[in-house]
Amino acid sequence: MSEERKSANFEAKKVVVEEITNKIKSAKSVVLVDYNKLTVAEVSELRNNCKKANCEYKVYKNTLVRKAFNDLGFKDFDADLNGPTAVAFSSDETTAAKLMTKAAKDYEGKIVVKSAFVDNAYVDKAGAKALASMPSKEELVAKMLGSMQAPLANFAGVLNNLMSGIVRVLDGIAKQKA
């Protein structure tokens, strides 16, 4: 192989590593999965499901993903980056884990969750599955607001009933005097 061709190949790989590094930095969560037994149709369906959920499903060479994680100071993923590996990038903490765990069930074990990267930390296989069962940040905020809103609504109802009662009593007194 000529030196010029090696150099061009090296530069192309550097660009891909930089792309992966930027995606890892901008994602709130990254999930690594083994997709070895999926058919082309199933991979297409999974990509579409990810796209609908604002998540990106990509296949990169393990060495390039390993280099990107190593450049960011994370060596924990080295053992997981063997065999066919796909990467799911998500803009929130739970969506990628939920999608990949659901895909593992839907495709009957043809896809296996390996690990995840959430909140700048390595999460093992069990942790990634636990992450999939957690509600998203938006769901937690909605629940919290709902629980805060319920007492206020109840209080408003009590005040309304109190005012209605006072009006009825005053109306009754006015009718008695008339």
Side-chain angles (χ1 to χ4, degrees):
M1 205 183 289
S2 72
E3 193 62 39
E4 186 177 303
R5 191 165 168 200
K6 280 184 185 179
S7 179
N9 192 19
F10 179 76
E11 289 302 316
K13 287 180 180 181
K14 271 177 60 175
V15 169
V16 174
V17 169
E18 191 175 313
E19 173 189 325
I20 297 167
T21 304
N22 289 334
K23 286 183 182 194
I24 292 169
K25 284 180 181 177
S26 65
K28 295 254 178 134
S29 68
V30 178
V31 178
L32 303 177
V33 295
D34 179 339
Y35 68 97
N36 190 30
K37 298 172 186 146
L38 287 178
T39 65
V40 173
E42 290 167 337
V43 169
S44 295
E45 182 181 21
L46 183 57
R47 281 183 206 271
N48 290 334
N49 291 342
C50 286
K51 199 174 206 177
K52 288 176 192 171
N54 198 23
C55 184
E56 184 181 6
Y57 178 87
K58 276 292 254 200
V59 176
Y60 291 107
K61 287 187 169 195
N62 287 334
T63 54
L64 301 180
V65 177
R66 184 178 296 116
K67 175 85 171 111
F69 274 117
N70 289 346
D71 287 353
L72 291 169
F74 298 98
K75 307 262 187 234
D76 299 322
F77 296 94
D78 290 357
D80 298 328
L81 290 166
N82 294 309
T85 305
V87 187
F89 300 95
S90 179
S91 59
D92 67 43
E93 290 81 0
T94 59
T95 300
K98 285 180 181 184
L99 285 170
M100 294 304 116
T101 302
K102 183 180 181 316
K105 290 176 189 167
D106 291 350
Y107 300 123
E108 299 167 359
K110 291 182 180 180
I111 190 170
V112 177
V113 176
K114 291 182 173 186
S115 61
F117 179 71
V118 180
D119 202 20
N120 284 324
Y122 172 82
V123 179
D124 65 4
K125 184 178 186 173
K129 288 182 179 179
L131 190 64
S133 65
M134 296 174 81
S136 70
K137 188 176 183 179
E138 290 78 19
E139 291 169 332
L140 289 173
V141 168
K143 284 180 182 181
M144 185 186 75
L145 290 176
S147 66
M148 289 172 60
Q149 190 176 17
L152 292 175
N154 292 341
F155 183 66
V158 168
L159 286 179
N160 191 30
N161 289 337
L162 183 62
M163 294 303 287
S164 303
I166 292 172
V167 169
R168 282 193 298 273
V169 169
L170 290 175
D171 187 47
I173 293 172
K175 286 181 181 176
Q176 275 182 348
K177 291 191 176 189

